[in-house]
Amino acid sequence: MNNAVWFDNIRIYHLLIDRFNGGWQTPPKSENVFCGGNLQGVIDKLDYIKELGFNAIMLSPIFKTANYHGYHTLNFDEVDPHYGTWEDYQQLLDLAHDKGMRIICDFVPNHCWYQAPIFEASLLKNGGKHRDWFWYKNDDSDEFRGGELHD
């Protein structure tokens, strides 16, 4: 199918991996902890999602993270072990495609956690590599401006 036509007819099921189909009997409390949802849980529900009428799934970030929601990225090269592996992700892609579904993975490169090695390397005290990838209050300080609006 033509990509433009497919996109015109997209119906997206958006889910937070850690809070989706984690195998629990009682829904988890909304706390700042991992609760067990993973890529296998998404795979297990592909037919259910398709039967609801969706032809695409948008996943929360899959990368190694400091928090259950995935937006405190520590490493963009690794799948967070709470969610699974690259092989699990590939299996999800393959099975979804076999069912005529698309997978959209939320990738937010500016959501890097302050303990991520790439951020720590940008600090002057650690050599300042890729310092220009981050926004510091001034050139001679490691005081960063996370989440603030530019002046």
Side-chain angles (χ1 to χ4, degrees):
M1 180 181 296
N2 177 311
N3 283 338
V5 172
W6 176 86
F7 190 79
D8 287 344
N9 296 306
I10 193 170
R11 293 198 59 210
I12 301 171
Y13 189 96
H14 189 210
L15 61 88
L16 182 66
I17 297 168
D18 185 67
R19 296 302 197 256
F20 182 79
N21 194 29
W24 47 78
Q25 299 301 309
T26 305
K29 295 178 183 175
S30 184
E31 295 179 4
N32 193 20
V33 296
F34 286 94
C35 290
N38 57 37
L39 294 169
Q40 184 60 53
V42 179
I43 291 168
D44 293 345
K45 293 293 186 177
L46 284 174
D47 288 332
Y48 166 76
I49 294 169
K50 185 170 177 135
E51 287 169 12
L52 290 174
F54 295 94
N55 59 5
I57 299 171
M58 182 166 179
L59 302 172
S60 54
I62 64 169
F63 308 106
K64 187 168 184 179
T65 182
N67 206 309
Y68 75 92
H69 50 65
Y71 291 99
H72 290 164
T73 305
L74 292 167
N75 187 331
F76 291 104
D77 293 326
E78 296 178 48
V79 171
D80 192 280
H82 292 96
Y83 307 147
T85 64
W86 282 117
E87 290 77 19
D88 296 326
Y89 184 63
Q90 186 62 56
Q91 181 183 17
L92 172 60
L93 294 176
D94 293 343
L95 292 171
H97 293 165
D98 288 347
K99 296 176 184 302
M101 301 173 75
R102 308 270 176 129
I103 300 293
I104 302 165
C105 186
D106 194 352
F107 171 69
V108 190
N110 69 332
H111 279 66
C112 175
W113 191 234
Y114 72 94
Q115 294 171 327
I118 194 169
F119 177 77
E120 288 183 344
S122 76
L123 299 172
L124 290 173
K125 67 181 182 182
N126 296 330
K129 183 178 180 182
H130 304 304
R131 187 171 175 83
D132 59 337
W133 292 8
F134 301 94
W135 191 28
Y136 289 90
K137 291 193 175 190
N138 54 56
D139 291 338
D140 60 353
S141 168
D142 280 340
E143 187 177 2
F144 62 94
R145 297 178 74 163
E148 297 177 28
L149 296 175
H150 292 279
D151 295 332

